[in-house]
Amino acid sequence: MPSIKTVVATLATTTAIGLSSAVVAQEYTIGVSIPAATHGWTGGVNYHAEEAKERLEALYPDIEITISTAGTPGEQANDLEDLVSLRNIDALVVLPFESGPLTDPVRRVKESGVFVTVVDRGLTEEGIEDLYVAGNNHELGRVSGEYIRERLDGEGDIVVLRGIPTVIDDERVEGFQEAIEGSDVNILDMQHANWNRDDGFEVMQDYLSRFDNIDAVWAQDDDIALGVIEAVRQADREDELFIVGGAGMKDIIKRVMEGDELVPVDVLYPPAMIATAMDLTVQHFVSNGPVLGKYILGSPLITEENAEQYYFPDSPF
Amino acid sequence: MSSVMANNKTADKQIAKQKGFAIDLKTWGPFVALVVLALLGVLINPAFLGLDNLSNMLTRSAFIGIIAIGATFVITAGGLDLSVGSMAAFIAGVMIILMNSLVEQFGAGLTTVLFGVGASLLLGLCAGFINGVVTTKGKIEAFIVTLGTMGIYRSLVTYLADGGTLTLDWAVRDIYRPVYYASFLGITIPVWVFLAVAIIGYILLNYTRFGRYCFAIGSNEKVAEYSAIHVDRIKTMTYMLQGVCVALATIIYVPRLGSASGATGVLWELEAIAAVIIGGTMLKGGHGRIWGTVVGAIMLTMIGNILNLTDAISNYLNGTVQGAIIIVAVYLQRASWRKTGP
């Protein structure tokens, strides 16, 4: 029968070991707040966020990642409050639904001492976030514009389908217009197709009945592009024009890879940037290198030659 | 006493005087609005009258139109169904998954497509049944029940699609594609389906006992119940009819783009309800008009079409123009209602 002394001693040592291990392995909770999968691109964001969570948690047992998705900017603001008060997060990775309404909620998170990473959509006020990870919307527009300008030898009639009226859409169109400025590439009309296949189909149908000659279509987004393809196919006008989308959806990348004449290229704006942001945020806690500032991804032109490296058949996007 | 009678008499006279004109406006109001809108379209861009454009527009209006015909029954009987848009997305999602999985067994043939179509109708019927039974037997407001099912179906399709987009197998798509794109006698298949549904709906609402019960229940549910009408059963049947209409709309929607996602059918419920109201059906029930609904659905599509045909109006103002036209169209009609009394 063990004496009381040994029991106490054992208890003491185990407690001590327990305590020390708790002190050594400090756990970090990272909150990820993203928009719900309301269209293809955000669907891709959700997929890559889940993938990154699994991968990072397996790699770093001390890191815990919580993902919350929101259907509206208001809901996302609530999510941010909950992440701070209920989950007690050490870092926040946020892809804001809209820049304006979420600037203040993110600032409040920052003021509570949390490391903040903002993804894709910049806040309307500078200096709140510790780290900014984004694609380059202006660049996406510019690369698309330059391709169309070159391919048409600086001369032709084109139509443009815009996204949802937001800063993202404005920046892309601005970059595009700068790229074709000074050439004889003429924009017949621009209408909003809201990054949506059905809208892309309908707007393109109407363009086709309105204009007898269209040399190229800038659809700006791969979901819109898929709707446009169907409308063009219905009107039997595949030989007259080509379509430039954007984002890097697997269906479109596959067409580019196969050398489709109608969709010769795509411009990258990857939803996987959420994973980049999560990786970098984790590095802030586990690496001895500084993680601060801006991390802007390129928007390369995807052509038949390099399409394979951007093809993810398992992603829903 | 005598003054009251005199008043009544003058009122009667007024009604009699206006009746010929007023009844015309009441019935023909939506048609007049449609013609005015079409004239506006031609003025803005002659391409509006192009055969291709008219065909595109009518074909497009078939989805909302078919759904709205179902909604006419639900609303006439005093109900409301907010779940139709999500239901369409959910049915489209299940159809695509089912057909893709059947390719291995039956090959990409007609059998596979028929299974998809059958599943769609069955799902629509069941979904409508659920809405109907929960509303009537559960004694919960239709607004709440269908708001609930709206959320459920929307999230189910997002779940099925893994947050992305479900895409129909290419080989199946080639077989199924004509259902949206092919024409018969120069008119596209969706327009034929729309027309058939409208005619059946018209007969059902105006020339059958079921239709008369819908009117009676919508006018006064209690009185209808005392008149030995099985109110719960009839109301549930209107929701099932709505479900079948949604299924039909989905059957012609899927071959168009061959895909479904969380973004499919967003706000279709509001467009369908708007089409019904523009057409002269009363939102509080008791009065329904199928042809009005048909015109309402075409008008809604036409507004979007005309806005796409011009760059005179800033894109940002599209919603303003749409909203204003809808309100004016209904106002013209209701103004004539008010003069003649209910």
Side-chain angles (χ1 to χ4, degrees), chain A residues 139-153:
Chain A
E139 178 81 357
L140 179 139
R142 196 185 57 78
V143 170
S144 311
E146 270 173 10
Y147 176 79
I148 289 179
R149 180 180 174 160
E150 255 169 53
R151 171 88 191 259
L152 293 177
D153 289 327

Side-chain angles (χ1 to χ4, degrees), chain A residues 37-38 43 162 165 170 189-192 197-198 201-203 205-206 209-210 230 233-234 255 316, chain B residues 45 53 56 60 162-163 165 170 173-174 177 181 253 256-257 259 263 305 307-311 315-316:
Chain A
T38 47
R162 303 185 61 165
D170 289 342
D189 195 12
M190 297 203 250
Q191 297 275 354
H192 288 279
R197 280 187 207 195
D198 285 309
F201 178 78
E202 292 180 4
V203 170
Q205 268 194 335
D206 291 344
S209 33
R210 209 171 129 194
E230 282 310 320
R233 206 173 143 200
Q234 183 200 18
R255 280 169 178 266
Chain B
N45 193 333
N53 188 55
N56 285 344
R60 244 182 249 172
D162 243 343
T165 306
W170 282 104
R173 182 108 197 277
D174 280 339
R177 202 170 176 272
Y181 291 97
Y253 169 81
R256 178 164 98 168
L257 297 177
S259 67
N305 178 246
L307 287 171
N308 277 346
L309 291 177
T310 175
D311 38 18
N315 282 319
Y316 300 130

Side-chain angles (χ1 to χ4, degrees), chain A residues 200-217:
Chain A
F201 178 78
E202 292 180 4
V203 170
M204 192 61 205
Q205 268 194 335
D206 291 344
Y207 279 156
L208 288 165
S209 33
R210 209 171 129 194
F211 304 115
D212 290 330
N213 180 55
I214 298 171
D215 296 313
V217 183

